[in-house]
Amino acid sequence: MKGLKEYNISFVGLKEGSHHFQYQIENKFFEEFQYSEFNEVNISADISFVKKNTLLELLFTINGTINVPCDITNENFDQEISGDFSLVVKFGPEFNDENDEILIIPHDEYQINVAQYIYELIVLSAPSKRIHPDVLSGTMKSEALEKLKELEINNEKTVEEESTDPRWDKLKDLLTGKNE
């Protein structure tokens, strides 16, 4: 992932306090991760970076659109997504990322790469079921929707008249006492 070096934040040279980083995420970013589920990507990723004496606090915020196919009609559309994620970076004897919100990096580390966190935030912020807004409003005209309407199950039940054997009716009358 050589193309992700721009996502390295070198914190050694930064003064203690708040810093801000902004990245424009496009298709090239996802090609580095070999992720091809999005047709086009236009997302702004903002990182609020707070350097303290013993730790780092990062707040990731994303806003933008991804172009994806609709799950119902297979028509491409721009899905708006947004999300945020906070990460605390502490220093320890060895690298440890077992906790989702706390990252421990070695004391001699001088930079952190945030690409993986941006990638995961975008992928997890995308809805699992993607429906074109025109389908939801009922204005979408497509062959797939017309075919679905044709194949829709008819909810009207046909009432069948029950025809019973008159001998069984006489036996039922005996059980219920109507024949007396």
Side-chain angles (χ1 to χ4, degrees), residues 3-122:
L4 300 175
K5 286 185 178 180
E6 65 183 285
Y7 298 95
N8 287 340
I9 297 177
S10 180
F11 54 81
V12 168
L14 296 176
K15 294 180 180 178
E16 285 189 22
S18 182
H19 305 275
H20 183 77
F21 298 91
Q22 186 170 17
Y23 300 98
Q24 185 63 35
I25 308 298
E26 296 175 348
N27 289 6
K28 182 182 170 189
F29 178 82
F30 285 95
E31 289 171 3
E32 293 290 330
F33 288 97
Q34 298 177 350
Y35 188 82
S36 61
E37 195 167 315
F38 305 147
N39 299 327
E40 288 184 36
V41 178
N42 186 13
I43 295 177
S44 173
D46 296 316
I47 300 174
S48 175
F49 185 97
V50 178
K51 182 178 179 182
K52 295 184 177 179
N53 192 20
T54 57
L55 58 90
L56 309 169
E57 294 176 346
L58 287 82
L59 176 63
F60 298 82
T61 306
I62 60 160
N63 285 306
T65 59
I66 53 173
N67 188 285
V68 291
C70 174
D71 290 340
I72 295 175
T73 63
N74 209 24
E75 299 281 332
N76 292 333
F77 72 102
D78 290 333
Q79 172 76 52
E80 290 187 22
I81 63 168
S82 62
D84 56 32
F85 169 72
S86 63
L87 177 71
V88 174
V89 180
K90 293 182 175 182
F91 299 96
E94 61 186 40
F95 183 85
N96 184 344
D97 64 348
E98 292 176 358
N99 190 322
D100 291 340
E101 297 176 356
I102 299 174
L103 173 68
I104 299 174
I105 58 175
H107 291 287
D108 58 345
E109 196 68 42
Y110 62 95
Q111 67 182 7
I112 180 172
N113 188 300
V114 294
Q116 182 69 35
Y117 297 103
I118 294 171
Y119 167 77
E120 290 177 5
L121 180 58
I122 293 171

